[in-house]
């Protein structure tokens, strides 16, 4: 017995000796630990929020730049393949349709196989989360991975699918913010604060917008208007700081990659600054606001109806339940066939990417004048210096091309919003509004070819200014926001048209908010997310509704000291999944209807 005790003691000594060997220099380690704790105390003395917000902005900028770089390479490869196939129409058609079909089908299948919550933009769900509703798996890391890979494939399909990345980036930024929040809790040792988590998510929404357009100020305002049902002023600095860090890093990476010589606007324009518009043109900008507001109402109604129809129709419901990649592939085949450059795509500027579409629409020159003086045929490839030539078709003129683009993209984009893949919808709306403004601007320039005379001075019409106003007005009307005006200025670096643009945005918003819910609120309605809509002050009857009119009273309750047999009886006698626990069973309990 004594020998066993001695052996155990020797074994313990050996184990301690091994631990000492594995952890040498205990005094030095204690010194370093104390030093690191002191550094942590000094750094976190100014507030730990700064560091996590900075990390959020930098991480999202890196993701945005990497995704743009990858998408650009894939789009260039597809464009190169089209040129190499030459005049073989059949092979060019095959390559044109196979490319987006494969990417869209893979995006849908990959994202849905990881988590079914990765489809769409994510903004409606995030709005619901910010109201206090817990939605499982919407902010998980696996959803983040599915969204990144799926969105990259979606964007690589190009303007054929006519989809963007703003919404998914707001969702991605929120997932990173939630993960950094958990890291902050473990690093600081503080308990998990729901209020702090809410503040980080609001700041993340601003970062998502700023790392797409390089627009920190409008990113913060957009997050306030779209994401929050109520906004605390103390969150302002968090949003601005994180959004500024993200936008600065995003534009800095473009300089390091030799895309630009210095940090500048993402969509460059060359509007005349000395006299951008004449006072009589204000009337035409007001008409543009009315047009954008009216078309936005029609679009919001059609989009919401189609989204609901896809959920109700037995064929599409079965297809979406069992074969979502097949559904996406069918729609991709339809859109790729229509946008084939040798078919209807020649009237849709289908060879341009999403960014090139917007840059071309912001051109300060008058396309009608350029097309009249155009002598050479259309180039074989896309000319970066003359993107307007993709819109010039002698058969239907510039006006016919823009009008045909608006008609076709209206229903094609409405159909694309039903795709169950990661995709954003703000950029297509922005481009569509720019096309509306361009058509109005070209029409005004055609009516007044020499410009508008005011006080004996003739000032030419700048159609690009109307495109800028149209982009801000239409996107603002669809999303029910005013920050799109500032977004247009930050993204283009132009502020000369501030008055007519804001006027157009206000008129378009007034019309859209009067007749239709916003794009995101409409999606919440169709998806039946647990989101309480805003009760407008003019709807007086809403305030006459009493709580007992929509409460459920016939529910089973459990006393706090209930026995096992009593609990079993209550659970088996009802189909409810939740049961209130009360102190006194004589007090009735009520719950809201779901």
């Amino acid at each position: 017995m004594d020998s066993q005790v001695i052996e155990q003691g020797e074994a313990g000594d050996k184990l301690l000796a091994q631990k000492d060997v594995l952890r040498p220099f205990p005094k030095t380690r204690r010194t370093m630990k104390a030093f690191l704790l002191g550094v942590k105390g000094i750094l976190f003395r100014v507030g730990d929020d700064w560091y996590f917000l900075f990390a959020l902005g930098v991480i999202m900028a890196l993701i945005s730049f990497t995704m743009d770089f990858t998408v650009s390479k894939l789009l260039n490869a597809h464009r190169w393949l089209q040129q190499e196939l030459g005049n073989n129409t059949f092979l060019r058609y095959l390559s044109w349709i196979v490319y987006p079909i494969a990417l869209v089908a893979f995006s849908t299948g990959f994202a849905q196989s990881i988590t079914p919550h990765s489809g769409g933009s994510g903004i409606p769900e995030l709005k619901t989360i910010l109201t206090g509703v817990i939605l499982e798996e919407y902010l998980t890391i696996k959803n983040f991975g599915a969204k990144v890979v799926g969105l990259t494939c979606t964007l690589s399909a190009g303007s054929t699918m006519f989809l963007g990345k703003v919404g998914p980036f707001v969702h991605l930024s929120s997932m990173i913010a939630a993960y950094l929040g958990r890291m902050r809790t473990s690093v600081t040792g503080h308990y998990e604060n729901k209020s702090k988590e809410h503040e980080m998510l609001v700041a993340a929404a601003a970062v998502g917008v700023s790392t797409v357009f390089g627009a920190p100020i409008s990113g913060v305002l957009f997050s306030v208007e779209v994401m929050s049902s109520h906004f605390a002023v103390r969150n302002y600095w968090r949003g601005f700081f994180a959004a500024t860090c993200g936008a600065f890093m995003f534009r800095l990476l473009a300089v390091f990659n030799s895309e630009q010589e210095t940090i500048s606007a993402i969509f460059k324009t060359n509007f005349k600054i000395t006299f951008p518009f004449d006072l009589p043109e204000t009337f035409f900008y007001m008409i543009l606001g009315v047009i954008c507001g009216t078309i936005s109402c029609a679009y919001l109604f059609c989009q919401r109806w189609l989204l609901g129809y896809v959920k109700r129709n037995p064929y599409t419901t079965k297809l979406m339940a069992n074969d979502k990649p097949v559904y996406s592939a069918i729609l991709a085949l339809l859109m790729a066939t229509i946008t084939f450059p040798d078919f209807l795509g020649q009237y849709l500027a289908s060879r341009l990417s999403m960014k090139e579409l917007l840059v071309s629409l912001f051109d300060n020159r008058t396309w009608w004048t350029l097309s009249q003086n155009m002598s050479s045929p259309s180039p074989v490839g896309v000319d970066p210096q003359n993107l307007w030539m993709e819109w010039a078709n002698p058969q239907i003129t510039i006006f016919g091309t823009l009008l045909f683009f608006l008609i076709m993209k209206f229903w094609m984009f409405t159909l694309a919003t039903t795709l169950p893949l990661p995709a954003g919808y703000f950029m297509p709306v922005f481009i569509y509004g720019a096309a509306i403004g361009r058509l109005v601007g070209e029409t005004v320039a055609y009516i007044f070819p020499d410009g508008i005379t005011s006080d004996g001075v003739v000032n030419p019409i700048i159609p690009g200014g109307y495109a800028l106003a149209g982009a801000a007005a239409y996107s603002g009307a669809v999303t029910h926001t005013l920050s799109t005006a500032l977004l247009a200025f930050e993204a283009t670096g132009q502020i000369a048209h501030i008055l007519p643009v804001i006027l157009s945005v206000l008129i378009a918003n007034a019309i859209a908010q009067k007749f239709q819910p916003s794009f995101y609120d409409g999606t919440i309605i169709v998806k039946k997310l647990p989101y309480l809509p805003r009760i407008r002050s003019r709807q007086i009857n809403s305030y006459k509704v009493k709580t007992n009119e929509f409460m459920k009273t016939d529910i089973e309750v459990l006393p706090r000291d209930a026995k096992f047999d009593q609990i079993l009886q209550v659970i088996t006698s009802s189909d409810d999944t939740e049961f209130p626990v009360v102190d006194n069973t004589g007090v009735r309990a009520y719950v809201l209807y779901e």
Side-chain angles (χ1 to χ4, degrees):
M1 187 69 177
D2 295 339
S3 61
Q4 291 179 355
V5 173
I6 293 173
E7 290 177 358
Q8 290 177 357
E10 291 177 352
D13 293 339
K14 290 180 180 179
L15 183 61
L16 291 173
Q18 290 177 356
K19 289 183 178 180
D20 291 338
V21 171
L22 295 174
R23 301 173 62 184
F25 309 112
K27 185 176 180 180
T28 304
R29 284 187 285 105
R30 285 195 298 269
T31 305
M32 287 299 298
K33 184 177 181 180
F35 173 75
L36 292 176
L37 288 175
V39 172
K40 174 185 173 182
I42 294 173
L43 292 176
F44 281 50
R45 188 174 300 168
V46 297
D48 54 349
D49 289 345
W50 295 93
Y51 306 105
F52 289 98
L53 291 171
F54 174 78
L56 174 64
V58 172
I59 291 172
M60 287 307 302
L62 290 172
I63 294 173
S64 181
F65 177 79
T66 304
M67 187 177 295
D68 285 350
F69 181 80
T70 305
V71 169
S72 176
K73 294 299 181 182
L74 291 174
L75 289 176
N76 289 336
H78 188 213
R79 185 174 290 178
W80 171 83
L81 179 61
Q82 284 286 306
Q83 293 179 357
E84 289 297 315
L85 292 176
N87 297 324
N88 193 323
T89 305
F90 179 72
L91 291 180
R92 292 178 66 245
Y93 171 71
L94 283 181
S95 69
W96 183 266
I97 64 170
V98 169
Y99 196 79
I101 289 175
L103 288 171
V104 167
F106 177 80
S107 174
T108 305
F110 179 83
Q112 293 292 329
S113 64
I114 295 179
T115 171
H117 307 300
S118 59
S121 69
I123 289 183
E125 292 79 9
L126 192 57
K127 287 188 66 172
T128 306
I129 292 174
L130 287 175
T131 60
V133 179
I134 299 175
L135 298 179
E136 297 293 339
E137 294 192 359
Y138 272 99
L139 299 178
T140 58
I141 292 299
K142 69 175 184 179
N143 196 5
F144 175 85
K147 203 109 182 177
V148 168
V149 176
L151 181 61
T152 303
C153 295
T154 301
L155 297 177
S156 299
S159 60
T160 298
M161 302 310 299
F162 204 57
L163 295 169
K165 70 173 188 174
V166 175
F169 255 73
V170 171
H171 192 191
L172 291 173
S173 182
S174 300
M175 287 186 272
I176 293 293
Y179 184 75
L180 289 175
R182 291 191 290 269
M183 285 184 57
R184 173 185 174 277
T185 303
S186 61
V187 170
T188 60
H190 298 158
Y191 68 91
E192 187 176 358
N193 190 338
K194 292 298 181 182
S195 176
K196 186 73 69 175
E197 180 182 354
H198 180 277
E199 294 168 357
M200 288 289 288
L201 290 179
V202 174
V207 173
V209 178
S210 65
T211 51
V212 173
F213 289 103
I217 301 175
S218 55
V220 174
L221 298 179
F222 186 82
S223 68
V224 173
E225 290 185 290
V226 173
M227 306 305 302
S228 302
S229 56
H230 62 277
F231 186 81
V233 179
R234 66 177 181 274
N235 296 337
Y236 241 41
W237 72 266
R238 291 181 175 87
F240 276 115
F241 178 74
T244 302
C245 292
F248 179 78
M249 180 60 66
F250 178 64
R251 303 312 302 146
L252 193 63
L253 289 171
V255 176
F256 288 160
N257 195 43
S258 301
E259 295 179 10
Q260 294 180 344
E261 297 180 358
T262 185
I263 296 178
S264 60
I266 190 171
F267 303 111
K268 294 181 179 179
T269 55
N270 297 306
F271 297 159
K272 186 176 65 173
I273 304 299
T274 55
F275 204 93
F277 68 96
D278 206 345
L279 187 60
E281 288 187 70
T282 308
F283 173 74
F284 298 111
Y285 280 101
M286 294 173 65
I287 293 177
L288 175 61
V290 173
I291 295 173
C292 289
T294 305
I295 297 178
S296 68
C297 289
Y299 166 72
L300 290 171
F301 173 79
C302 294
Q303 187 270 339
R304 192 170 65 256
W305 178 86
L306 183 62
L307 202 59
Y309 178 78
V310 170
K311 292 181 176 295
R312 294 189 305 268
N313 185 272
Y315 299 104
T316 55
T317 301
K318 183 178 179 180
L319 196 60
M320 293 284 278
N322 303 322
D323 299 300
K324 289 182 180 179
V326 175
Y327 177 81
S328 298
I330 292 174
L331 292 192
L333 173 62
L334 173 64
M335 296 182 184
T337 301
I338 292 174
T339 58
F340 181 52
D342 291 349
F343 185 47
L344 297 179
Q346 60 183 313
Y347 311 115
L348 296 170
S350 60
R351 295 196 300 178
L352 299 181
S353 65
M354 296 292 284
K355 182 177 180 180
E356 289 172 338
L357 280 173
L358 196 56
V359 171
S360 65
L361 291 169
F362 286 157
D363 191 354
N364 65 311
R365 298 171 293 180
T366 303
W367 290 353
W368 169 251
T369 305
L370 293 175
S371 62
Q372 292 297 104
N373 300 327
M374 179 179 170
S375 57
S376 59
S378 300
V380 178
V382 176
D383 184 3
Q385 304 301 323
N386 294 289
L387 296 177
W388 69 271
M389 297 181 70
E390 297 297 316
W391 298 88
N393 191 292
Q395 300 178 13
I396 60 174
T397 72
I398 289 294
F399 303 101
T401 304
L402 288 169
L403 184 61
F404 186 73
F405 177 87
L406 293 175
I407 295 173
M408 296 298 291
K409 289 298 182 182
F410 183 91
W411 67 266
M412 290 173 68
F413 176 55
T414 304
L415 198 60
T417 56
T418 64
L419 290 171
L421 45 72
Y425 311 119
F426 182 84
M427 187 67 169
V429 169
F430 202 71
I431 294 174
Y432 192 88
I436 296 174
R438 188 79 204 190
L439 179 59
V440 173
E442 291 288 341
T443 304
V444 175
Y446 178 78
I447 298 173
F448 303 97
D450 298 327
I452 297 178
T453 304
S454 179
D455 296 332
V457 179
V458 179
N459 300 292
I461 304 296
I462 302 178
Y466 288 86
L468 184 68
Y474 187 73
S475 58
V478 170
T479 58
H480 287 191
T481 58
L482 301 177
S483 57
T484 53
L486 184 58
L487 177 63
F489 299 141
E490 285 190 282
T492 60
Q494 295 285 350
I495 202 170
H497 290 78
I498 182 170
L499 292 179
V501 168
I502 291 179
L503 184 62
S504 300
V505 171
L506 288 173
I507 294 175
N509 257 277
I511 296 174
Q513 293 189 29
K514 174 68 176 178
F515 297 104
Q516 292 293 329
S518 71
F519 179 89
Y520 305 116
D521 289 341
T523 305
I524 289 174
I525 294 171
V526 175
K527 289 186 175 182
K528 297 181 179 179
L529 295 174
Y531 180 82
L532 184 64
R534 181 179 58 175
I535 300 177
R536 301 182 183 276
S537 59
R538 63 175 176 268
Q539 295 175 349
I540 305 301
N541 291 331
S542 301
Y543 294 97
K544 296 180 181 179
V545 178
K546 296 182 180 180
T547 309
N548 58 6
E549 295 182 23
F550 54 92
M551 299 295 279
K552 184 178 180 182
T553 58
D554 54 337
I555 61 172
E556 297 291 341
V557 298
L558 283 170
R560 184 183 295 274
D561 55 350
K563 305 296 184 181
F564 174 75
D565 55 347
Q566 188 177 359
I567 296 175
L568 184 62
Q569 180 183 359
V570 171
I571 292 177
T572 55
S573 63
S574 175
D575 294 332
D576 296 336
T577 57
E578 297 178 352
F579 301 92
V581 178
V582 297
D583 294 326
N584 183 6
T585 55
V587 178
R588 296 302 302 163
Y590 306 93
V591 296
L592 282 168
Y593 278 117
E594 294 183 354

